[in-house]
Amino acid sequence: MTASDTVTTALSADLMRQVTDAENRHDPYPIYARLRENRVNLLSDGSYALGRYADVVGLLHDPRISSDPHNASDPGSRLLVDNGPFIQRDPPDHDRLRSIATRYFGPPASPGVVSGQEPEILSFVRDLVDALPASGEADLVDHLAYPLPVSVICGLLGVPKTDEEQFHAWTEKIVRGLDAEQQEGANDLIKQRQQAQVAMFGYVTELVQRHRAQPDGSMLSHLANDQTGPRMTDGELGTTSLLLLIAGHETTVNLTANGVLTLLRNPWALDRLRAEPDWVIPLVEELLRFEPPVQYLPNRVALADIEVDGTTIPKGASIVLLVAAANRDPDRFADPDRFDPDRGDIEHVGFGSGIHYCFGAPLARIETQASLTEFARRLTSPRLAADPPPYRPSPVLRGPLHLRVTYDKRS
C-alpha cells in the first residue's frame, strides 16, 4: 500500500466512522456524498464500502457477492449459526427457504395474504389515531409508527399478543447491536445482541412446537405443519421466524416515522396528500429513496476477486453497500437531495435489489401508506415539537427514536 493509499484509507475510514457517529444520525447524507466521491472506499478494518448507484445495484445482482457470513475471511463479531435465515444464505439454500416462506405469505401460492390485510390495517391505524389526544401533543413513534407493524407481523406469524413486550425488548437489543463495532461500548452491545438472539431463537423454537401441537391458521402454524412440498427443519423454522419477526416491523417503523418527519418538513407535500390521498403511492416510493429505513448493508462478502474501477476487492473481503448514498447519486437521480414524489423515475434501492429484495416490501408499503394518509387526513396543523428529533442508536436501521408532534385538533 502506497502512502497515498494509506491517506485515502484513513479518510474513508474516518468518513464511515462519521456515518456511524450518533451526532450525525440526523443528517448523514453529506457524509455519504463524500464517500460516493470514490467508487471504492477501503476501510481500516479491511472491508470495502461502495456508494454509487450503478455499483450498488450491480453488486446486489452479482453472484460473486455472498450474504453468508461464513464466507468472510474475518467474520468479526457476527454470530455464526449453521441454520442462518435465508437473508444470510446463498443459492440454492436461499432460494429453497425463501420459496417455502413465500408459500404462506404471497403469490403465487397465497396471493391474498398481504392484500387481505388492508382493511384490518386501515382499521387499526384509525383506532391508533382515535386514541391520540383530541388536541395537544403525541409521540407518533410510540403511538403510530411502532404499534401498527408489530401488531400486524405478530398476528400474521401467530405470536401471542401477551408476548409482544418481551419480543420488543429482545428486538431492541438485537437492532442496537447491528454494526456494533463502530459504536461506543461495542463489546457490551455485541454481548447483549448475541444474548438476545439466543433467547429469541429459543422462544420461537418453542413457539413452533406449540403451533405444531395446536395449529391456528397463522403463517408459523402453516410452516410448522407443512406437508405440501419441501419443508424447513426446526432450526430453519426458528431462524426464519426470527428474521420475519424482526425485519417484519423494524423497517416499517422507521419508514413511517421518517415519512411523518418528511411531510412535516415539507408542508406543501402534507397539504397535497390531504387533498389527493392516492398520491401516497408515489410519495412512499420517493420516501424510500430519500430517507431509506435501511441505510447500508454491512455484511456482504466477495466470493472471488472483484475489480471495480481499478481496485481489486479480494476474495473473502467484507463489502458494505451504501444504500442511502446510492439513492442520492446525482448520476442516477436529478437533484437527488430534493424530496420530489413527482420525479417519475424512482427506481430506488430502499428495499434492496436482486435475490435478497425485501421479503416484506408489499406489507411495509401498505402499512406506511395507510399511516401517512390517516396522519395527513386526521390531524389539523401538525408541527414538530423538536427538529431534529432524537434518533435511534443504530446507524444501519435509521429512524427517529421519538417523534413528538403538536397539533390543533384530531378529527
Side-chain angles (χ1 to χ4, degrees), residues 345-382:
D345 180 10
I346 316 178
E347 196 173 349
H348 59 77
V349 285
F351 280 137
S353 190
I355 64 169
H356 289 290
Y357 182 80
C358 179
F359 182 84
L363 185 61
R365 284 187 168 100
I366 291 172
E367 292 171 339
T368 305
Q369 290 166 6
S371 296
L372 296 184
T373 301
E374 285 301 293
F375 162 73
R377 185 176 74 89
R378 301 282 303 279
L379 299 187
T380 302
S381 301

Side-chain angles (χ1 to χ4, degrees), residues 3 20 42 54 64 73 106 115 167 183 196 198 247 258 288 315 361 384 395:
T20 62
L42 175 59
R64 296 172 299 172
S73 297
S115 60
F167 151 65
Q183 300 181 54
V198 170
N258 286 331
L288 283 158
K315 178 181 178 180
L384 287 169

Side-chain angles (χ1 to χ4, degrees), residues 65-387:
I65 300 297
S66 171
S67 295
D68 187 342
H70 291 83
N71 290 316
S73 297
D74 179 9
S77 69
R78 281 172 277 184
L79 185 63
L80 300 180
V81 295
D82 292 334
N83 293 310
F86 57 77
I87 199 173
Q88 293 180 355
R89 300 277 195 105
D90 298 330
D93 279 349
H94 163 273
D95 302 346
R96 174 180 63 86
L97 293 172
R98 183 167 174 136
S99 67
I100 294 172
T102 303
R103 190 182 301 157
Y104 299 107
F105 187 80
S110 305
V113 169
V114 172
S115 60
Q117 295 291 313
E118 287 192 62
E120 184 177 346
I121 287 171
L122 182 56
S123 176
F124 190 39
V125 170
R126 288 173 175 168
D127 288 344
L128 290 171
V129 176
D130 285 343
L132 298 176
S135 63
E137 183 175 315
D139 183 343
L140 294 190
V141 171
D142 286 349
H143 299 290
L144 178 62
Y146 177 77
L148 172 65
V150 167
S151 178
V152 171
I153 195 62
C154 285
L156 276 173
L157 284 173
V159 175
K161 197 163 187 66
T162 53
D163 293 347
E164 285 184 17
E165 186 174 346
Q166 177 62 77
F167 151 65
H168 174 52
W170 285 324
T171 302
E172 285 292 303
K173 290 179 181 178
I174 292 170
V175 171
R176 189 179 178 88
L178 291 175
D179 203 29
E181 293 88 346
Q182 307 297 327
Q183 300 181 54
E184 186 176 347
N187 290 338
D188 188 48
L189 291 174
I190 292 168
K191 181 179 179 181
Q192 290 186 40
R193 183 193 73 201
Q194 293 178 341
Q195 289 174 340
Q197 286 174 318
V198 170
M200 197 167 176
F201 180 80
Y203 167 79
V204 296
T205 300
E206 180 184 342
L207 190 60
V208 166
Q209 297 304 323
R210 284 156 55 187
H211 279 295
R212 185 164 287 143
Q214 296 179 312
D216 65 358
S218 66
M219 181 178 178
L220 189 53
S221 180
H222 280 304
L223 289 171
N225 295 283
D226 199 339
Q227 300 292 333
T228 62
R231 301 175 62 183
M232 293 184 189
T233 65
D234 281 0
E236 290 168 343
L237 270 171
T239 52
T240 298
S241 302
L242 193 68
L243 168 68
L244 297 180
L245 277 168
I246 296 173
H249 79 278
E250 278 296 321
T251 53
T252 310
V253 172
N254 289 339
L255 183 59
T256 300
N258 286 331
V260 172
L261 180 60
T262 300
L263 286 173
L264 291 174
R265 287 173 170 171
N266 295 272
W268 61 270
L270 181 61
D271 291 342
R272 181 168 172 186
L273 178 58
R274 189 176 290 123
E276 302 175 36
D278 289 345
W279 192 58
V280 75
I281 295 173
L283 185 147
V284 168
E285 295 311 303
E286 172 69 346
L287 182 63
L288 283 158
R289 183 198 70 83
F290 188 73
E291 289 275 23
V294 178
Q295 293 276 288
Y296 57 91
L297 304 172
N299 295 323
R300 297 298 192 262
V301 182
L303 292 176
D305 289 354
I306 300 172
E307 185 172 326
V308 179
D309 195 32
T311 296
T312 298
I313 301 173
K315 178 181 178 180
S318 292
I319 298 173
V320 182
L321 298 178
L322 304 173
V323 170
N327 274 345
R328 295 202 184 196
D329 186 345
D331 288 340
R332 177 61 182 81
F333 300 102
D335 199 5
D337 293 321
R338 180 168 60 92
F339 181 67
D340 180 15
D342 291 324
R343 65 175 60 246
D345 180 10
I346 316 178
E347 196 173 349
H348 59 77
V349 285
F351 280 137
S353 190
I355 64 169
H356 289 290
Y357 182 80
C358 179
F359 182 84
L363 185 61
R365 284 187 168 100
I366 291 172
E367 292 171 339
T368 305
Q369 290 166 6
S371 296
L372 296 184
T373 301
E374 285 301 293
F375 162 73
R377 185 176 74 89
R378 301 282 303 279
L379 299 187
T380 302
S381 301
R383 304 168 296 278
L384 287 169
D387 192 9

